[in-house]
Amino acid sequence: MEPQDEVRQVYEETQARMAELYREYEQIKATQARLKERNQAALDQERDRLQQELRQLEAEFGLTLLFHLGEAARKSWREILDQENFWQFVRFGGLGFILGLVVRSLMS
């Protein structure tokens, strides 16, 4: 076999092998794209589920907090109403406010 023929044969074999490798590479890229689409869809679905669960937990926490704060406010209000000092403050504070208005109107 002539050296040229050997070179041509090696060149053709190399070209065939490169074409085969390129086809395999393209198949791998296509498979990766399909897997990525499937994984992305699954990830999007999981993200949506977690967001929904988070919204539900936030709502439940908000209602619980509101209930407990409302209960604490009612207790505090009851304690204030039970204290005689509160009513004395309301009575004398209101009386002082009214007297202040009367004095102001007399001075005008």
Side-chain angles (χ1 to χ4, degrees):
M1 189 184 243
E2 298 276 329
Q4 301 171 313
D5 293 336
E6 281 184 46
V7 169
R8 186 175 297 128
Q9 182 181 0
V10 169
Y11 175 77
E12 289 172 358
E13 288 174 359
T14 303
Q15 286 294 92
R17 181 68 181 140
M18 286 179 64
E20 182 182 332
L21 289 174
Y22 184 75
R23 278 192 304 274
E24 288 177 17
Y25 171 76
E26 289 299 317
Q27 287 176 345
I28 290 170
K29 279 179 53 177
T31 302
Q32 284 177 331
R34 282 192 306 272
L35 289 174
K36 184 177 179 181
E37 286 176 13
R38 288 182 194 154
N39 287 341
Q40 189 62 45
L43 289 173
D44 289 344
Q45 189 177 28
E46 182 66 11
R47 182 199 64 220
D48 293 343
R49 185 189 69 75
L50 290 173
Q51 284 177 339
Q52 179 66 28
E53 190 173 325
L54 180 60
R55 281 190 215 108
Q56 183 178 357
L57 286 173
E58 286 173 342
E60 288 174 6
F61 177 72
L63 289 173
T64 301
L65 185 62
L66 184 62
F67 174 75
H68 287 295
L69 285 178
E71 185 64 30
R74 280 193 294 275
K75 285 180 183 178
S76 296
W77 185 245
R78 275 190 226 122
E79 289 173 6
I80 290 172
L81 291 177
D82 290 342
Q83 295 176 1
E84 183 62 31
N85 293 336
F86 174 75
W87 289 113
Q88 288 177 357
F89 171 76
V90 170
R91 218 176 4 238
F92 293 114
L95 182 61
F97 180 72
I98 292 171
L99 287 175
L101 289 176
V102 170
V103 170
R104 186 173 178 207
S105 65
L106 292 175
M107 295 183 75
S108 303

